[in-house]
Amino acid sequence: MGGDGDPGGTHAYQALADEDCPFDPMEPPRRPTGKLIMHSMAMFGREFCYAVEAAYVTPVLLSVGLPKSLYSMVWLLSPILGFLLQPVVGSISDHCRARWGRRRPYILALGIMMLLGMALYLNGDAVVSALVANPRRKLVWAISTTMTGVVLFDFAADFIDGPIKAYLFDVCSHKDKEKGLHYHALFTGFGGALGYLLGAIDWAHLELGRVLGTEFQVMFFFSALVLIVCFIIHLCSIPEAPLRYVPKDISPQQAPQDPSLSSDGMYLYGSIEKVKNGYVNQELAMEGEKHQRSAEQTQRTMTMRSLLRALVNMPPHYRCLCVSHLIGWTAFLSNMLFFTDFMGQIVYGGDPYSAHNSTEFLTYERGVEVGCWGLCINSVFSSLYSYVQKALVSYVGLKGLYFMGYLLFGLGTGLIGLFPNVYSTLVLCALFGVMSSTLYTVPFNLIAEYHHEEEKERREAPRVDVGSSGRGKGVDCAALTCMVQLAQILVGGGLGFLVNVAGSVIVVVITASAVALIGCCFVALFVRYVE
C-alpha cells in the first residue's frame, strides 16, 4: 500500500491534514472535549440500537414463526461475513480518496445499512401483512424480510466500530486518542442502558403505542431518531482531510511555504508521518497521482491477497493483542448472549418449554425480565467504570486495567455459577460492566500506543522501515474488531453444543469464567505493553 518498497523516485500516499492544524506538522492538534464528546455520539446511537435488538429481536423472530432450524443461520451468517470482510473494508478505507475523508463515507454507508436493517426486522411483518394476502406467501415473506433485517443490522453494526476507531485515530493527537476512547466507552454504556430501559416499558398500553400501532413500531421510531441524530453529530464533529497523492521525493524546500496544511503519512505501518514545515499544492498532488495511478490499480486488484499477506506478516505484539481480544470477547459473549436464559432457568427455576399459561413458563418470563435489568446494570457500570479508568490508568497502567477486567469478570461469573441467587447475581452484573468497558478501551489504547511508538522510531530513523507491511490504521482497527465476529462464531457454534451435552445452561457462566481466567494469564504473559 503505497510504494515504500521502491526507492527509485517512487511516490507514496499522503493525506492533507486539517486546516485547523497550522503549526503542528508532527501530529493533529489537540481537540476540545466537546468535539470528542460529539465524536462519541456514534457509539451511543450504535449501542442504543444494539440494546433494542437484544430486547426485541427474539420476540420478533418468534412472532413471525421462524423455524428453530434457521436460528443458527440468523446468528452465524452476520459474524461470518464480518470476520471475512471487515479487514478488507478497513484496507479499502485506508485508501479512500473521497473529498469527505477516508472514514466518514464508510461510517455513513454503514449507518444507513443499520437503519435499513432495523426497519426490516421491526416493521417487516407489518408491511408484508399489509401487502400480501396469501397466508403461506405472507409467512415466507415475513420470515425472509425479518431475517434479512437482522443479518443486515448485525453486519453493519459490527462493521462500523472499526471505521469509527480509525477515524478517531486519524484526526486526534496521541493524548486525545486515549481520552476519546474513554468517552466512547462512556457513551456506549449510556446508550445501552437507555436502550434497555426503553425496551422494558410496556408501550402497548401507552398512547404512543396506540398511535404507532405496536411496541415494535414504537421502538423503531425511537431507534431511528436516536441513530440519525447521533450519527449526524458524529459525522460533523471533527473534519477529515481527503487523501491525496504527492511525490515522496519532494522536499519541504520545494513545496510552497503555507503552514495551513500538512501530510498524514506515507502508508508505512501505523504511520502518521508528517512533511515538516511544508504544504503540498494541487499541482504537485496531480503530478504524483499521474505517476502512481498504475500502482494504485495493481494494489486494488490484489486487495485480498495483499491484505492476507499483511495479516500473516502482522508484528507479533499485534497478533497477541488480537488473540487476547478474541479470548475476552469469547468469555464476555458466552455470558451475555445466554444471560437472560440463565436467569430464567437457573436463578428463577422456570421452564421455557412449558405451556405458556403454566406457572413454570411465567416464572421463566419473570427471570428473563430481571435478567434484562441485570444487563441494564452492566451498561450503567460500564459507563461509570470507563470514567474511573482515566484515574486508575496512572496507578496500575494499561496492563493492570487489562488484567483486572478479565480477573473480575472471571471471578464474578464463577460466583454466579456456583451461587445462583437473584440479588447476588444482580450485584455481580456490575462486574460485567467492568469487562465491557475494558474490552472497548484497553485494546484500542494499546493499538494507539503501538502506533505512537512506531511513529517516534520512524521520526528518529526516517529511512528505516519500521515494521512496514502495507498496513494502515484502518486495517489494524478492523483486524482487532473482527475478533468480535470470530468470538460470535465460536460462541454460536460451540456453546449450544456444550449446553446440550451438559443438559443445563449453568455451563454457560462456568465456561465464561474459565475462558476469562485463561485470558488473565494471557494478557499478563503475552501481551506487550509500551512503557
Side-chain angles (χ1 to χ4, degrees):
M1 298 182 186
D4 51 16
D6 182 5
T10 57
H11 302 82
Y13 283 114
Q14 292 178 329
L16 302 178
D18 301 332
E19 292 186 2
D20 59 351
C21 179
F23 302 113
D24 184 5
M26 301 309 295
E27 66 176 357
R30 295 298 302 272
R31 303 295 180 182
T33 299
K35 291 287 187 180
L36 296 177
I37 291 176
M38 290 173 65
H39 193 278
S40 304
M41 292 305 294
M43 301 305 294
F44 181 93
R46 171 180 176 266
E47 202 64 22
F48 179 91
C49 296
Y50 255 144
V52 170
E53 184 198 35
Y56 281 93
V57 72
T58 300
V60 168
L61 292 173
L62 292 174
S63 67
V64 299
L66 180 72
K68 290 185 177 180
S69 59
L70 296 179
Y71 265 77
S72 59
M73 181 185 297
V74 173
W75 297 118
L76 289 178
L77 183 59
S78 175
I80 289 173
L81 290 174
F83 178 71
L84 294 176
L85 298 180
Q86 194 166 43
V88 177
V89 173
S91 175
I92 295 173
S93 74
D94 279 333
H95 295 81
C96 177
R97 298 176 58 214
R99 297 182 63 182
W100 207 30
R102 281 190 287 178
R103 317 297 179 186
R104 288 191 292 179
Y106 290 91
I107 294 172
L108 176 62
L110 292 168
I112 294 173
M113 289 174 62
M114 287 177 62
L115 187 62
L116 179 59
M118 286 192 303
L120 290 177
Y121 84 76
L122 287 173
N123 301 305
D125 187 31
V127 173
V128 169
S129 298
L131 297 177
V132 180
N134 186 285
R136 185 175 180 81
R137 290 184 59 196
K138 182 170 69 174
L139 177 63
V140 173
W141 276 102
I143 292 175
S144 301
T145 302
T146 304
M147 286 181 62
T148 301
V150 172
V151 172
L152 186 63
F153 174 83
D154 278 339
F155 177 81
D158 290 340
F159 252 60
I160 206 168
D161 191 47
I164 289 174
K165 294 297 192 298
Y167 176 19
L168 178 72
F169 288 0
D170 285 343
V171 298
C172 289
S173 65
H174 181 63
K175 290 185 178 179
D176 283 342
K177 291 174 188 177
E178 297 179 357
K179 189 176 179 181
L181 287 171
H182 286 301
Y183 281 124
H184 278 198
L186 181 70
F187 282 92
T188 294
F190 282 155
L194 183 59
Y196 286 123
L197 287 176
L198 288 179
I201 298 174
D202 186 6
W203 294 104
H205 295 88
L206 298 178
E207 184 63 28
L208 187 59
R210 288 190 287 268
V211 170
L212 294 178
T214 69
E215 57 184 349
F216 297 155
Q217 279 72 59
V218 173
M219 292 313 300
F220 173 72
F221 169 77
F222 282 117
S223 300
L225 180 64
V226 170
L227 185 69
I228 291 172
V229 171
C230 288
F231 271 73
I232 289 175
I233 294 173
H234 168 77
L235 294 172
C236 296
S237 60
I238 304 174
E240 274 192 288
L243 193 67
R244 293 285 185 266
Y245 287 111
V246 295
K248 184 179 180 181
D249 50 2
I250 290 179
S251 66
Q253 289 76 20
Q254 291 175 292
Q257 296 301 308
D258 182 347
S260 65
L261 296 171
S262 61
S263 74
D264 187 49
M266 298 184 180
Y267 271 28
L268 298 177
Y269 183 69
S271 173
I272 56 169
E273 198 169 13
K274 308 296 175 181
V275 175
K276 297 181 180 179
N277 304 319
Y279 152 79
V280 181
N281 66 14
Q282 188 65 27
E283 292 181 0
L284 296 177
M286 292 301 294
E287 180 185 359
E289 179 177 359
K290 181 172 66 176
H291 287 285
Q292 187 66 18
R293 188 170 296 150
S294 61
E296 180 197 23
Q297 291 172 350
T298 301
Q299 187 274 333
R300 290 188 184 280
T301 58
M302 298 173 62
T303 297
M304 179 59 77
R305 189 169 69 182
S306 61
L307 173 65
L308 292 176
R309 187 187 307 119
L311 293 174
V312 170
N313 295 328
M314 178 187 292
H317 52 284
Y318 282 87
R319 191 179 300 115
C320 288
L321 182 60
C322 287
V323 173
S324 70
H325 205 52
L326 172 63
I327 294 173
W329 274 104
T330 300
F332 187 69
L333 292 176
S334 296
N335 180 68
M336 300 303 289
L337 293 181
F338 294 88
F339 180 70
T340 54
D341 188 46
F342 171 80
M343 287 290 290
Q345 291 198 55
I346 303 301
V347 177
Y348 272 77
D351 184 1
Y353 303 105
S354 299
H356 284 200
N357 58 351
S358 65
T359 303
E360 291 80 5
F361 183 81
L362 295 176
T363 303
Y364 174 80
E365 281 196 326
R366 175 58 182 166
V368 170
E369 292 175 1
V370 175
C372 289
W373 284 106
L375 295 179
C376 184
I377 293 172
N378 154 65
S379 297
V380 171
F381 271 84
S382 176
S383 293
L384 296 176
Y385 183 71
S386 65
Y387 185 79
V388 174
Q389 272 186 325
K390 292 190 292 184
L392 287 177
V393 70
S394 59
Y395 294 100
V396 299
L398 290 177
K399 183 175 183 179
L401 288 178
Y402 214 8
F403 181 84
M404 187 166 59
Y406 281 58
L407 178 63
L408 291 178
F409 182 80
L411 294 177
T413 49
L415 290 174
I416 287 173
L418 294 174
F419 309 102
N421 176 269
V422 176
Y423 300 105
S424 62
T425 299
L426 290 177
V427 170
L428 291 171
C429 282
L431 299 183
F432 303 167
V434 173
M435 182 65 162
S436 174
S437 179
T438 299
L439 292 173
Y440 277 120
T441 55
V442 176
F444 293 98
N445 270 321
L446 289 172
I447 284 280
E449 293 286 351
Y450 296 162
H451 287 169
H452 187 59
E453 182 185 50
E454 290 170 358
E455 290 155 19
K456 290 194 297 184
E457 292 178 5
R458 194 170 293 113
R459 286 197 293 268
E460 294 170 359
R463 295 182 179 274
V464 178
D465 184 3
V466 186
S468 176
S469 60
R471 295 163 55 87
K473 289 190 285 292
V475 177
D476 291 336
C477 293
L480 193 61
T481 55
C482 77
M483 294 299 104
V484 182
Q485 280 82 53
L486 182 56
Q488 286 180 311
I489 295 170
L490 294 176
V491 172
L495 208 55
F497 172 77
L498 289 178
V499 171
N500 289 332
V501 170
S504 172
V505 293
I506 200 168
V507 72
V508 169
V509 292
I510 299 300
T511 301
S513 177
V515 174
L517 293 175
I518 292 172
C520 285
C521 300
F522 192 91
V523 300
L525 299 176
F526 298 103
V527 175
R528 178 171 171 266
Y529 302 90
V530 179
E531 295 296 333

